[in-house]
Amino acid sequence: MAAQVPTRLPSKTRVQKVGLAIAIVALIGCLFIQVPGLEPVGVRMLGIFVAAIALWVTEAIPLAATGVGIILFQVLLISSDAVLPVPETAETSASFFANLANPVIILFMGGFMIADGAAKYGLDKNLAAVMLKPFRGSARLAMLGLMLITALLSQFMSNTATTASMFAVVIPILASIRDPKMRTGFALAIPVAANVSGVGTPVSTPPNAIAVGMLAQNGIRITFLDWALMALPFIIVMLMMAWLLLVALFVPKGVPMELNLKADFNRSPAAIVFYLLAGGTILLWMSEPLHGINSSIVGFIPVVGMLATGVMTGRDVKQLSWPVLWLVAGGIALGSGVRATGLDAWLLGGIDWGSMSAVVFLVAVALVAVVMGTFISNSATANLIIPLVLGPSIMVATDDVTLAVVAALACSLGFALPISTPPNAIAYATGHIPQRSLMLVGAILGIVGAIFLALALPPLWAWMGLT
Amino acid sequence: MKLAIIVLEDEPPVRDAIARDLQEFSGEVRVEPAEDVPDARELIDEILADGDVVALLLADHRLPGETGVDFLVSTMDDDRMASARRVLITGQADHADTIRAINVGGLDHYIAKPWDPGELHDVVREQLTNYVLDQGINPLPYLPNLEMDRAITAMRGFSLTD
């Protein structure tokens, strides 16, 4: 049966109409006004930036549409092929379009192939079933097991896909829990674990990719392993904190619980080729210091290998989350445009950065990212915040890597509302979670996590020699 | 957009009993009882005018006037209804009626009267899930009314971003 063809356009809320109006005014207005200290291309980039904020905040159009819209307007207004006069130094339209195939997008495509293949061959659910085995006996232990497995899966799958897979596994468990409070706790454990810990690699979540992509534009290459080492202490602490909070609030001591999940690994030749390609890719990602092959190049291997062997088909390629890739591409294009036109210097020039302490600045960045990420998409938050924070790092006594990683990780901590992240939306829609429980847990972990992230991790990274 | 279930049954106590057994389907799902085929057609117009969709037809066979099977067959030609899931809940459809319902009425399931409420729940849940997944509708708002494992697994495909 064919899917329904839309007959009417999606209706817009009042907020969305306002967002759309601001975006249109910004895009047209920037052609006519002059701003002291800013070249005409800078003013046009300012218009695009304001429009992007309005559209990403209100979601007046789909997030990915804003992503590709940024690229379109950059081509039309500031590239060497623009319809208006531009300086001779302007980059060609091809270089703006190239953001759609930025190395970090290629890296992410590899991640998507692995994640979608894991779902296709049932690897995610089987791994969950096997790894839950040691966590039997008590309900508190079972919850820890669920959270650890969610955390592990979400290193290579998006938080959203992880939550979907894990819920499919735990629905029978939820149904067997009589105590509604405990059921809330278990239903919360999955999105909370996916949100706080799904940040361990550049492919875990789009904000990480955005940070890696924007750092690369500044000439800073950050390897897969570097990222994993920087994020690991954060994940361990956050996950333990989340578990302790959830058991304290929802799971009484000494409640017995048996989790009997059957693993039934697919042993067909196609599945085995998939396991080998996915496992090989992850090994190559982690061993970059040994062979020196950049993680984006490695990420392209499963794309080619899985298509060539037929373990993934053209149909699977069609179903990859292209809108997510375009959202990230739009963010990277925005970052490069903001820098190339001198907009970042103009925006941030008015602030006396020299007098600001690095610690205060990091805490402020982390808290702003958490608050923004609570209300709008985490990826859109990263797209808007990271290009701006990379500007003042020269003036504040800290470095680009620290700032970008703190900002990216903080974006993932904004999850106090059902609308904050899709994992929350999924968990909330199951009907097992009262909104106030989600808000309580999300707010505590978000704020404490942001402060921990900004205060404790930068010195640790410096001590580990990573920054 | 709500998913509507039409319960077509002429005997008031039976109709009420079915509606009562479907009480747990709520929120973004509306259960609409109809007493005969003209009544059901009127209801369908109302549902569509509200911007909702008819997801499931739950029809008795023996009705005054047009039969339940005739109704199912007639809705197959209606673009607005062709994709709805179809369940016959009856004790009185003979062999020929049943064959017709399957071959040209797009029947998805047959429930014999007297029905078991547990079975009715399961069938309705399954058919609503089939409808949502076939139509490519985002299952999120309907989750409590669907087979959760299938619906959640399908949600991966809705390109939600972290």
Side-chain angles (χ1 to χ4, degrees):
Chain A
M1 238 175 293
Q4 277 174 335
V5 177
T7 48
R8 41 188 150 183
L9 296 170
S11 58
K12 306 233 183 281
T13 64
R14 183 178 293 179
V15 172
Q16 288 176 322
K17 285 178 189 158
V18 170
L20 204 55
I22 293 174
I24 292 169
V25 168
L27 286 173
I28 296 174
C30 73
L31 306 180
F32 299 103
I33 56 166
Q34 287 185 339
V35 177
L38 205 54
E39 299 285 313
V41 283
V43 180
R44 289 176 222 157
M45 191 60 226
L46 179 62
I48 296 173
F49 192 60
V50 171
I53 296 175
L55 295 177
W56 272 331
V57 168
T58 62
E59 289 197 40
I61 60 175
L63 297 172
T66 304
V68 286
I70 288 168
I71 296 176
L72 175 64
F73 280 95
Q74 286 181 328
V75 168
L76 288 175
L77 301 181
I78 64 172
S79 77
S80 64
D81 304 303
V83 293
L84 296 165
V86 291
E88 282 191 2
T89 50
E91 295 188 64
T92 62
S93 57
S95 71
F96 286 95
F97 287 131
N99 285 303
L100 293 167
N102 182 288
V104 87
I105 300 287
I106 304 294
L107 171 67
F108 234 61
M109 220 157 73
F112 280 174
M113 285 296 256
I114 293 175
D116 286 13
K120 179 175 172 174
Y121 290 99
L123 182 62
D124 48 356
K125 288 172 199 165
N126 282 315
L127 279 179
V130 168
M131 289 187 299
L132 267 177
K133 285 209 171 115
F135 297 94
R136 51 180 50 179
S138 87
R140 287 186 161 186
L141 205 58
M143 182 183 270
L144 180 64
L146 280 177
M147 292 177 78
L148 286 174
I149 291 153
T150 306
L152 189 76
L153 288 179
S154 69
Q155 302 317 319
F156 298 97
M157 308 193 343
S158 74
N159 301 346
T160 311
T162 304
T163 304
S165 294
M166 286 303 290
F167 260 109
V169 170
V170 300
I171 277 164
I173 302 174
L174 288 180
S176 70
I177 299 175
R178 290 275 174 77
D179 177 3
K181 205 170 112 185
M182 208 160 98
R183 202 160 50 216
T184 300
F186 272 81
L188 263 175
I190 289 166
V192 166
N195 284 320
V196 301
S197 60
V199 293
T201 74
V203 298
S204 304
T205 187
N208 295 9
I210 290 157
V212 170
M214 289 186 184
L215 283 170
Q217 286 178 339
N218 285 14
I220 301 166
R221 219 183 102 197
I222 179 159
T223 70
F224 207 88
L225 191 62
D226 286 339
W227 189 288
L229 289 174
M230 289 178 87
L232 192 63
F234 172 76
I235 293 175
I236 294 172
V237 171
M238 288 309 295
L239 206 55
M240 285 306 114
M241 208 153 75
W243 177 61
L244 291 173
L245 182 64
L246 286 175
V247 293
L249 289 173
F250 301 104
V251 187
K253 210 175 165 190
V255 177
M257 185 182 278
E258 283 299 325
L259 300 176
N260 272 324
L261 297 168
K262 266 209 201 109
D264 181 15
F265 282 95
N266 187 336
R267 291 192 172 80
S268 68
I272 289 170
V273 171
F274 168 75
Y275 302 152
L276 291 174
L277 282 169
T281 304
I282 292 170
L283 273 181
L284 282 175
W285 270 336
M286 290 301 188
S287 58
E288 188 176 331
L290 298 178
H291 52 70
I293 304 173
N294 178 311
S295 55
S296 297
I297 301 171
V298 171
F300 208 45
I301 296 174
V303 175
V304 176
M306 288 180 194
L307 273 174
T309 52
V311 300
M312 294 291 270
T313 63
R315 199 184 144 84
D316 298 311
V317 174
K318 267 193 216 164
Q319 287 176 345
L320 294 184
S321 290
W322 296 100
V324 174
L325 295 182
W326 292 355
L327 170 61
V328 174
I332 292 171
L334 186 72
S336 69
V338 163
R339 214 183 54 250
T341 58
L343 180 62
D344 57 348
W346 180 84
L347 279 173
L348 303 163
I351 302 166
D352 180 15
W353 298 105
S355 65
M356 186 177 282
S357 89
V359 171
V360 172
F361 185 60
L362 281 170
V363 171
V365 166
L367 287 176
V368 168
V370 170
V371 172
M372 258 177 89
T374 304
F375 293 98
I376 73 172
S377 145
N378 294 349
S379 311
T381 304
N383 276 345
L384 293 171
I385 285 187
I386 296 175
L388 293 183
V389 298
L390 289 183
S393 68
I394 321 149
M395 283 81 83
V396 180
T398 182
D399 62 296
D400 277 350
V401 174
T402 302
L403 265 170
V405 178
V406 164
L409 298 186
C411 288
S412 288
L413 284 174
F415 63 95
L417 295 171
I419 53 136
S420 300
T421 69
N424 286 7
I426 293 173
Y428 188 66
T430 63
H432 295 306
I433 301 176
Q435 183 161 340
R436 99 195 108 73
S437 305
L438 178 60
M439 286 172 69
L440 178 69
V441 171
I444 293 175
L445 291 174
I447 292 168
V448 176
I451 292 169
F452 163 72
L453 172 64
L455 295 185
L457 287 178
L460 179 68
W461 294 336
W463 179 77
M464 290 161 75
L466 292 166
T467 55
Chain B
M1 183 184 82
K2 289 191 179 189
L3 307 178
I5 302 173
I6 296 195
V7 177
L8 177 55
E9 164 66 62
D10 58 328
E11 286 175 59
V14 182
R15 194 166 62 234
D16 292 346
I18 297 178
R20 198 173 51 237
D21 282 342
L22 294 180
Q23 254 173 6
E24 70 168 63
F25 294 93
S26 56
E28 291 302 299
V29 170
R30 55 192 273 195
V31 178
E32 299 290 349
E35 59 180 24
D36 54 24
V37 172
D39 190 21
R41 293 226 161 86
E42 238 170 73
L43 254 176
I44 290 169
D45 290 336
E46 262 175 49
I47 289 165
L48 296 170
D50 290 346
D52 296 336
V53 290
V54 179
L56 177 60
L57 303 170
L58 199 62
D60 182 19
H61 174 54
R62 186 160 298 176
L63 300 164
E66 207 176 334
T67 67
V69 171
D70 286 338
F71 173 64
L72 292 184
V73 173
S74 73
T75 56
M76 288 298 282
D77 293 329
D78 185 339
D79 278 347
R80 310 166 306 170
M81 303 284 302
S83 48
R85 310 297 293 189
R86 296 165 159 76
V87 174
L88 208 50
I89 175 163
T90 185
Q92 300 147 312
D94 66 20
H95 215 65
D97 293 329
T98 314
I99 290 172
R100 205 162 99 78
I102 292 172
N103 287 349
V104 288
L107 192 69
D108 294 295
H109 202 99
Y110 186 109
I111 298 177
K113 281 184 185 167
W115 70 93
D116 165 50
E119 184 197 353
L120 183 65
H121 281 169
D122 292 349
V123 169
V124 168
R125 201 171 275 279
E126 184 190 351
Q127 296 303 332
L128 286 180
T129 311
N130 289 345
Y131 178 81
V132 167
L133 300 189
D134 278 352
Q135 294 295 299
I137 299 169
N138 187 345
L140 193 67
Y142 313 105
L143 214 50
N145 296 298
L146 304 179
E147 284 180 351
M148 242 183 234
D149 50 348
R150 272 170 69 210
I152 287 185
T153 304
M155 234 141 49
R156 289 177 58 112
F158 280 86
S159 282
L160 303 153
T161 172
D162 290 353

